[in-house]
Structures are given as C-alpha cells and as structure tokens.
Amino acid sequence: YCRRKGIRGMTPLSTIFDVAVFEAKVLVRSWFFRIFSLVALGILILLNVGMYATRFSPWMFSAIPANIPYMNILLLNIAQAVVGVFLASDFLKHDRKLDTTDVVYMRSMTNFEYVVGKTMGVLAVFFGLTAVVLGVSLVFNIFFARVPIVWEAYLLYPLMITLPTLLYIIGLSFLLMVIINNQAVTIILLL
C-alpha cells in the first residue's frame, strides 16, 4: 500500500493492520484454535438440537425470542474467555525469548502498534467464530424454534457481550503477564 501511494515508511494504522492480519492468520492455522472451534461448535449444535429441534423443549427456551442467540453467545463467550487467557499469555511468552538476544529484540514498530495489532487479530478471529455461531443460531431460529427472529439481538449481542469480555480478558492477561512474568502463574490466577 505504501509503495503504491508513494509514502515513505509505514503509517501506524497500516502497521497495526499488518500485525492484525498476520496474527489472525497464525491463529487460524493453529491446531489449538481449530480444535477449540470444532468442539465449541459441536457442543453448541448439540445443545441447540436438544433444546429447539425436539418436541419437548422447555418453555423458557422459546418464551423470549432473543434467547436463542443470547444462549449461544453466552456459552461461546465463556469458552472464548478461557481460550483468550491461554492465547494472550502465550503470545507474550513467545515474544519474550529467554535467551541472550532479549536485550536487542527490536521491531520496526512501536510497542503500542504491535500490541494493538495483536489484539485486533485475536478479536477478528474470535468475532469470526462468533459470526459462525450466530449463523448456527439463525438456522435453528428459522427452522426449528417457534419464535420470531429478533435481528437486533444478532447485531447487538456480539458488541455487548463478546467484545467487552474479550477486551477485558486479553488486557488483564497482558497486564498480569507483564507484572508476574510467568505464564503458568498468570493462567492459574486468571482461571
């Protein structure tokens, strides 16, 4: 982008975007995230089948129309918070190599750009998983539940539930990892 526009050096936003894209690609390619995503989707689909596709679904699951995406986002949010603890502490652990080159560890960007880019990459991947879960919720809402679709819930729940939880848990993980400087202790405290 910078070469095409004739800009010398990279702007902070392009640096953040590049770091976020790289982090998202690395995260999607990791087996830990793939297995977590498949297990979370499998459990949520089985729960939805049990609650909405059977004739014996309790009234509380269909009394409030926005309950379908709420339940799915809430359950996914708990799992994402736990996985977020591992990912956030792991990313700082890998960035701080415990060898003699720690003193000369350099990047062509500021620490703020790097941390914000990493956080944006993690958030983008988790929001992609949230979108898939909301798609599953929409399928069950259309075909199996006997309640109307509340479109506002599908738009607002990720912003009101998922985003604050992920920002809080990732930020707290970063803070404790910097203060304690031990991944195992940080994970035990956060869990």
Side-chain angles (χ1 to χ4, degrees):
Y1 174 78
C2 292
R3 283 189 219 143
R4 283 184 279 152
K5 297 292 182 184
I7 301 172
R8 291 188 178 197
M10 295 180 70
T11 63
L13 288 178
S14 66
T15 304
I16 290 171
F17 179 75
D18 289 343
V19 171
V21 168
F22 179 76
E23 181 67 20
K25 286 181 181 179
V26 168
L27 192 55
V28 168
R29 291 176 184 164
S30 74
W31 281 103
F32 179 66
F33 184 76
R34 289 180 185 178
I35 292 170
F36 160 72
S37 300
L38 291 175
V39 168
L41 281 173
I43 290 172
L44 286 174
I45 288 172
L46 288 175
L47 282 173
N48 282 319
V49 166
M51 285 190 265
Y52 301 111
T54 62
R55 292 177 162 237
F56 304 107
S57 64
W59 66 270
M60 67 181 164
F61 296 128
S62 58
I64 302 172
N67 194 29
I68 297 172
Y70 178 73
M71 182 205 64
N72 287 324
I73 289 292
L74 204 57
L75 291 175
L76 179 70
N77 198 34
I78 293 167
Q80 281 181 341
V82 172
V83 171
V85 168
F86 288 102
L87 291 177
S89 62
D90 193 48
F91 123 70
L92 281 177
K93 178 187 161 204
H94 284 299
D95 286 348
R96 290 184 177 190
K97 306 273 187 221
L98 297 175
D99 57 2
T100 56
T101 61
D102 199 30
V103 177
V104 291
Y105 184 66
M106 295 174 37
R107 296 182 301 270
S108 63
M109 64 196 83
T110 65
N111 287 337
F112 175 77
E113 294 168 353
Y114 185 67
V115 170
V116 169
K118 288 277 223 182
T119 304
M120 296 300 284
V122 170
L123 287 176
V125 171
F126 278 135
F127 265 94
L129 182 60
T130 301
V132 170
V133 167
L134 285 175
V136 168
S137 300
L138 187 61
V139 167
F140 277 93
N141 201 351
I142 291 171
F143 295 111
F144 298 109
R146 294 170 299 279
V147 294
I149 298 171
V150 180
W151 295 106
E152 294 85 7
Y154 285 92
L155 298 174
L156 292 177
Y157 285 164
L159 297 176
M160 292 173 28
I161 298 172
T162 304
L163 183 64
T165 301
L166 287 176
L167 286 177
Y168 177 76
I169 202 70
I170 290 171
L172 188 61
S173 298
F174 287 168
L175 178 68
L176 287 179
M177 191 67 184
V178 168
I179 291 172
I180 296 172
N181 207 13
N182 187 337
Q183 184 184 15
V185 174
T186 301
I187 289 173
I188 290 171
L189 283 176
L190 289 173
L191 292 180

